[in-house]
Amino acid sequence: MNSYKPLFRKDIWTFKNYILEIKNDKKRLIIYLLYIFWIGSILISGFSKLNKNKSDMSVSIGSEYIAALITFIGIFILMYNLYKGLNESSTFFSMGDVNVLFQSPISSKKILLYHMIKQSIINFFIYGIVILALLPTLGDLVNIEVRYLGFMYLGYISFLLLIEPLKFLMFTLITKYKIESFLSKMIYSLLGLIIVYIIYHLVKAEDLLKGIIKAMNAYYINYIPIIGWAKSAFMTAIYGYSSWSLIALILQFTLLALLVFISYNTANDYYEDVLSATNKRELRKKRKKGLKKRKNFFLFTKKGKVNVKSKRKGPWAFMWRAKVYYKRTDIHPYFSILTIFSLIVGLTVGYFTRNTEGIIPMYIANGVIAYIMFLMSSVYVSNHELTKPYIYLIPGTYIEKIIAMNLVDIIRMTVNAFMLNIALGLTIKASLVTIISLGLFLTSFYILTVFANFLVRIIFPNTIDHKTLFPLFFMLQILLMLIPGAIIGGIVATLTNALGFFIGVTVTNFIIVAILILLSSNIFERLEWK
Amino acid sequence: MLKVNNLNKMFKKTMAVNGISFTLNKGDVVGLLGPNGAGKSTTMKMIAGLLRKDYGDIEMDGINNNLLKAKSKFTYIPEVPELYEMLTVKEHLHFIADAYDIDNWEEKATKLFKRYDLYDKQDKLAKELSKGMKQKVSICCGLLPEPELYLFDEPMIGLDPKAIRETKLIFKELSDQGKTIFVSTHLLDSIENLCHRVLVMKNGRIIADGDVKSLKNKLSNGKGSLEELFLEVTKDE
Ligand SMILES: Nc1ncnc2c1ncn2[C@@H]1O[C@H](COP(=O)(O)OP(=O)(O)OP(=O)(O)O)[C@@H](O)[C@H]1O
Ligand SMILES: [Mg+2]
């Protein structure tokens, strides 16, 4: 019998069951319909913007920024995944596969090939949603040539499709040839090289922004596999077509095919490698859901006993638990590796912008960080407490419990926010009022993302909903979180000055936070533990 | 049927399995005992080919356990019953039938469903099942291919009394048909009149091997329960 047939049939059944389930659940059906409607509206608005003419000046600056940004993001994602690939294989499997499929008399190579291809096809469409959502913004910044939209999409997707097979292959080679230390040295050297490269350009340009853009847009980057090839294809829709665009794209997909082919031929005994990766992924899903627990620096992990005094009882046990966790995995319950990082960023930005007039760099730095925080908030939340029954069992009011659960994280982030602003403010000689207001601004933003996320997760605990509906939640979050602050901040700013904007946003944020906490506590009273 | 020779497995710094060797003959029902963390599940998983062996050999009728030919000789029922969440009970068995190329599977599946009270739950999704029900489905998946060797890792956990009795009956029937069963368990009383032989593991080693009676004789002159025997063998020196 053909070995691929059972696999294929199984997936057809799974798909059918998903459809049936969504069809029978009115609430979800409505959400999904809304979602489709939303994608449709984005498509229309995106395409209508693409053809409008913009001034040449703004377009060339915009495309430079975009090119630099995608290079930077590409490098970041790649390096992060290479680093992770040292310790953990990637997985295309579920626990069902591990328990049922792996022991069956189907060749492990065929199983791998089938799942790699299946995952690639799924990702090909799923990841498209992100770029779709970004299309209107891109269209605002630059002229996008519609006929080369395909290049843009394929360039972007080829990069993402390459990541998992790359990680998988890397781990296979590590276990097969015991080359972990060699590879980790390679990766760290590569990272070092990149940092030196960026610093070189920074020093040469004597300007933060110009330096980074120069470094990221050097022409030879286009010839680097995975990142450069993807970038060349992606930028075709903005810069226009050249024969290199096509070659880069072909190279990129050839590389993908090659990786899959090599994996197919080297991986015959990979079950153990994917076991722990699969296990972890499913655990994460169960942990309500898609929440990755923030990984801390292994350098600081302490085994055995750590001492944390607990003064208050009841709900504050949550706080004690969080402190123990951080004390074990980080420098200090309240000071993290990020604190040092904030200090460095503050000093660096301050140093390179010390000649700029006024305190604009501070506004920009805080704005950018707040924006990144907002983007990351849907992915990274350290709240694993929600899956455990203790929030229902421990005596105390829900408001107290919700605050106690998040307080340590909030304090940690407050320390970082102030560290950054103090370091930056002192180097560029900003006033104390500015430093304090901006520190509070950043903190309020963090608290807002924490509680907004908290709320979303208790209302929609389902994994699959979460993954597929992510853009919808995202839009809702923008509506509810960013807009009120922006409006009030804008009003205050016109009445006073630019700093007024940040103060206005801060105050609004805290008001929304209070509302969110009340709402969460109200929902908890009606919720059951699942 | 199954030959394990000098098997070793190391997890970082723990020696989970430390040079064990044994042979199971056709028709044997062999119990694998040992305190938590003794290395029972690790051994089972290595035999099933889910974990690599650091060192040693595993053969089934002379065939290396990782070869495709060996895979149709056994089934493995894992410790934790994790199924395909989005497949129904019946589709699980259908999939197994496809993968193992089983004829007549519907008839066999219906029989199993009836024995395990799953008949009216066939069209439920796995994610809607209770833990015990999942365990039952997992057992049915392992029984359907009717292989020569069955590896059960704590099959009775979470089962209701009727299903436990049914499982014991099935063990008896299989052994009468000349099939080999290797079962790890903590339920000592179920072992006593079921297993021809027991292996006791501790800290990755086999510390006792023999039939229940001779083990009893050796240690306490045939008196005392299996429980006392177990505690005696596994106690710390
Ligand atoms: N994935 C793993 N990583 C690290 N150590 C492991 C892993 N799996 C098992 N171990 C260790 O190997 C040893 C044996 O574990 P195993 O699961 O085989 O025990 P067991 O006899 O099945 O116990 P139980 O009766 O609790 O099921 C234990 O010390 C355990 O901590
Ligand atoms: Mg076990």
Side-chain angles (χ1 to χ4, degrees):
Chain A
M1 188 175 181
N2 182 350
S3 328
Y4 295 111
K5 197 171 137 197
L7 297 174
F8 186 65
R9 279 227 281 212
K10 185 202 82 200
D11 287 332
I12 296 286
W13 296 329
T14 308
F15 186 66
K16 178 204 74 191
N17 290 334
Y18 269 125
I19 300 288
L20 280 180
E21 204 188 35
I22 293 176
K23 218 177 81 187
N24 294 335
D25 187 342
K26 291 285 169 297
K27 190 177 96 189
R28 281 167 86 189
L29 190 63
I30 292 173
I31 297 176
Y32 275 81
L33 284 177
L34 258 175
Y35 180 58
I36 291 172
F37 176 72
W38 177 65
I39 290 185
S41 68
I42 277 194
L43 267 183
I44 293 168
S45 82
F47 276 104
S48 66
K49 270 179 192 155
L50 296 182
N51 289 321
K52 274 195 209 126
N53 273 328
K54 298 163 198 84
S55 77
D56 284 351
M57 178 60 194
S58 76
V59 165
S60 81
I61 292 179
S63 48
E64 238 176 52
Y65 280 130
I66 290 176
L69 191 68
I70 60 168
T71 320
F72 190 79
I73 295 174
I75 291 174
F76 183 80
I77 294 179
L78 185 68
M79 291 312 291
Y80 176 72
N81 277 293
L82 286 181
Y83 169 74
K84 260 183 64 179
L86 284 175
N87 308 308
E88 189 181 297
S89 181
S90 104
T91 182
F92 312 93
F93 305 99
S94 68
M95 279 315 278
D97 291 321
V98 170
N99 278 343
V100 183
L101 181 61
F102 282 2
Q103 52 161 315
S104 73
I106 298 180
S107 136
S108 60
K109 290 182 169 198
K110 289 183 178 172
I111 292 178
L112 178 69
L113 183 66
Y114 178 84
H115 281 88
M116 271 190 160
I117 293 177
K118 180 180 99 179
Q119 199 62 51
S120 296
I121 294 175
I122 294 175
N123 289 348
F124 187 91
F125 294 107
I126 294 271
Y127 285 134
I129 293 168
V130 178
I131 194 90
L132 218 60
L134 285 176
L135 205 56
T137 320
L138 282 178
D140 274 341
L141 293 171
V142 289
N143 285 323
I144 294 178
E145 281 193 63
V146 178
R147 64 196 158 129
Y148 296 131
L149 220 51
F151 276 90
M152 185 178 233
Y153 189 71
L154 290 175
Y156 155 81
I157 213 82
S158 69
F159 172 76
L160 293 176
L161 292 186
L162 272 164
I163 297 276
E164 295 291 318
L166 190 69
K167 244 167 77 186
F168 180 86
L169 189 62
M170 200 168 115
F171 199 76
T172 308
L173 295 178
I174 284 177
T175 44
K176 203 160 180 164
Y177 302 110
K178 312 245 174 320
I179 47 169
E180 180 174 354
S181 64
F182 168 73
L183 263 183
S184 74
K185 268 180 214 138
M186 292 275 290
I187 289 172
Y188 282 117
S189 328
L190 189 60
L191 186 67
L193 215 67
I194 293 172
I195 292 175
V196 169
Y197 171 78
I198 293 178
I199 290 178
Y200 165 76
H201 277 273
L202 282 183
V203 172
K204 213 173 103 185
E206 274 277 326
D207 184 290
L208 191 66
L209 213 54
K210 273 190 204 140
I212 287 185
I213 287 182
K214 259 247 160 55
M216 293 295 126
N217 285 347
Y219 73 95
Y220 39 78
I221 284 190
N222 288 342
Y223 301 105
I224 298 175
I226 305 177
I227 293 173
W229 295 348
K231 181 186 177 188
S232 305
F234 186 91
M235 295 304 291
T236 306
I238 298 170
Y239 284 156
Y241 178 83
S242 74
S243 54
W244 173 246
S245 318
L246 187 63
I247 296 172
L249 200 58
I250 292 172
L251 281 174
Q252 189 83 337
F253 277 94
T254 314
L255 184 64
L256 177 63
L258 201 69
L259 282 188
V260 175
F261 179 76
I262 298 176
S263 305
Y264 178 79
N265 277 301
T266 40
N268 36 23
D269 200 6
Y270 61 88
Y271 286 164
E272 176 170 345
D273 300 337
V274 297
L275 226 61
S276 71
T278 312
N279 223 330
K280 272 188 203 152
R281 198 188 58 186
E282 302 255 325
L283 265 180
R284 237 164 21 215
K285 266 199 216 160
K286 282 201 186 115
R287 231 191 256 134
K288 306 252 160 97
K289 264 113 192 244
L291 313 183
K292 297 185 185 139
K293 202 168 77 185
R294 229 186 275 129
K295 251 255 188 81
N296 283 281
F297 244 5
F298 56 92
L299 241 48
F300 300 104
T301 307
K302 303 172 203 65
K303 291 217 167 110
K305 250 172 99 167
V306 291
N307 272 317
V308 174
K309 284 200 197 93
S310 67
K311 287 183 213 102
R312 287 194 279 177
K313 302 291 177 213
W316 304 100
F318 286 120
M319 207 176 149
W320 178 81
R321 196 208 59 82
K323 274 161 88 173
V324 171
Y325 172 77
Y326 285 123
K327 192 156 186 187
R328 180 164 282 140
T329 54
D330 213 330
I331 305 174
H332 179 269
Y334 296 140
F335 297 100
S336 59
I337 188 83
L338 263 182
T339 317
I340 300 176
F341 189 67
S342 309
L343 181 68
I344 296 173
V345 169
L347 292 177
T348 318
V349 175
Y351 176 77
F352 283 108
T353 56
R354 64 193 184 284
N355 298 326
T356 324
E357 267 298 297
I359 46 171
I360 306 286
M362 265 185 108
Y363 294 154
I364 295 180
N366 280 291
V368 167
I369 291 174
Y371 186 64
I372 293 174
M373 226 155 31
F374 175 74
L375 288 182
M376 304 263 285
S377 67
S378 334
V379 191
Y380 288 91
V381 181
S382 65
N383 241 308
H384 24 283
E385 210 70 75
L386 276 179
T387 45
K388 304 208 173 73
Y390 302 116
I391 184 159
Y392 301 94
L393 297 177
I394 288 180
T397 66
Y398 280 112
I399 293 187
E400 262 181 316
K401 285 190 258 184
I402 292 167
I403 294 176
M405 263 195 294
N406 294 301
L407 195 58
V408 174
D409 279 325
I410 291 172
I411 295 175
R412 284 164 67 86
M413 201 42 97
T414 311
V415 171
N416 297 341
F418 277 90
M419 182 61 89
L420 174 89
N421 278 299
I422 292 170
L424 179 54
L426 291 184
T427 26
I428 64 171
K429 304 193 182 64
S431 72
L432 194 63
V433 179
T434 314
I435 293 177
I436 292 178
S437 325
L438 288 178
L440 279 177
F441 162 77
L442 210 51
T443 309
S444 79
F445 224 94
Y446 178 74
I447 302 179
L448 184 61
T449 56
V450 165
F451 286 111
N453 244 291
F454 196 79
L455 190 65
V456 169
R457 307 234 178 242
I458 47 184
I459 301 177
F460 292 97
N462 186 300
T463 349
I464 295 155
D465 286 350
H466 237 267
K467 268 198 194 150
T468 37
L469 298 180
F470 163 74
L472 189 67
F473 292 137
F474 195 65
M475 192 184 58
L476 281 177
Q477 271 181 341
I478 293 180
L479 274 181
L480 297 177
M481 292 166 48
L482 294 187
I483 306 238
I487 292 175
I488 295 180
I491 294 173
V492 178
T494 46
L495 294 179
T496 57
N497 56 6
L499 190 61
F501 173 79
F502 290 91
I503 296 173
V505 174
T506 309
V507 174
T508 322
N509 281 351
F510 278 120
I511 294 172
I512 302 179
V513 165
I515 297 173
L516 287 177
I517 293 179
L518 283 179
L519 219 59
S520 304
S521 133
N522 257 317
I523 290 175
F524 261 119
E525 313 233 334
R526 266 160 240 149
L527 216 62
E528 319 160 25
W529 184 61
K530 271 189 240 145
Chain B
M1 175 69 227
L2 176 72
K3 210 167 143 191
V4 172
N5 191 17
N6 198 10
L7 195 61
N8 272 283
K9 181 76 196 176
M10 184 104 167
F11 286 114
K12 289 186 189 117
K13 283 179 194 128
T14 356
M15 202 67 182
V17 173
N18 194 350
I20 61 170
S21 304
F22 57 88
T23 308
L24 303 189
N25 298 317
K26 190 166 149 49
D28 274 358
V29 180
V30 179
L32 181 59
L33 305 183
N36 295 134
K40 305 181 294 295
S41 301
T42 310
T43 307
M44 290 269 183
K45 283 183 195 159
M46 277 196 280
I47 299 174
L50 296 181
L51 295 180
R52 263 189 292 269
K53 29 194 186 286
D54 288 347
Y55 192 80
D57 300 301
I58 301 172
E59 282 181 359
M60 289 162 191
D61 287 337
I63 304 170
N64 184 307
N65 73 321
N66 279 337
L67 295 178
L68 215 48
K69 256 195 254 164
K71 296 252 175 188
S72 40
K73 288 193 179 293
F74 73 88
T75 55
Y76 159 69
I77 290 97
E79 197 171 19
V80 188
E82 303 240 33
L83 305 166
Y84 288 111
E85 295 209 325
M86 289 307 288
L87 287 190
T88 65
V89 173
K90 196 170 177 187
E91 281 160 354
H92 272 91
L93 287 248
H94 194 166
F95 173 63
I96 295 282
D98 275 359
Y100 286 80
D101 212 353
I102 304 167
D103 304 321
N104 250 340
W105 69 271
E106 281 189 282
E107 203 177 300
K108 290 173 188 166
T110 309
K111 251 187 220 153
L112 288 173
F113 287 154
K114 285 200 171 134
R115 290 188 86 153
Y116 279 107
D117 286 329
L118 288 171
Y119 192 72
D120 50 350
K121 313 226 158 49
Q122 285 181 58
D123 294 318
K124 259 188 181 250
L125 290 179
K127 67 170 189 178
E128 294 162 351
L129 299 178
S130 74
K131 185 170 169 287
M133 272 147 63
K134 279 186 196 157
Q135 181 66 13
K136 287 176 177 175
V137 176
S138 177
I139 292 178
C140 290
C141 286
L143 293 174
L144 189 74
E146 302 182 344
E148 292 300 310
L149 168 68
Y150 294 83
L151 306 167
F152 285 95
D153 198 349
E154 303 192 24
M156 313 290 194
I157 296 235
L159 294 186
D160 56 30
K162 176 162 182 258
I164 291 185
R165 203 188 60 188
E166 213 54 61
T167 312
K168 286 184 189 167
L169 275 175
I170 288 175
F171 280 12
K172 274 240 155 58
E173 292 164 19
L174 291 175
S175 125
D176 289 344
Q177 292 165 26
K179 311 273 183 171
T180 315
I181 298 175
F182 192 36
V183 50
S184 95
T185 180
H186 292 296
L187 305 179
L188 298 173
D189 50 341
S190 71
I191 287 237
E192 182 133 27
N193 31 30
L194 213 82
C195 296
H196 309 145
R197 179 178 155 203
V198 288
L199 300 176
V200 185
M201 278 186 86
K202 193 186 166 190
N203 296 334
R205 294 173 196 277
I206 295 182
I207 50 168
D209 178 359
D211 59 287
V212 178
K213 225 181 186 167
S214 67
L215 277 184
K216 274 188 181 172
N217 276 336
K218 209 160 75 187
L219 275 154
S220 49
N221 305 320
K223 288 188 287 283
S225 64
L226 192 61
E227 186 178 354
E228 281 166 27
L229 178 67
F230 178 83
L231 293 176
E232 176 68 28
V233 196
T234 57
K235 79 170 177 225
D236 287 311
E237 308 298 305

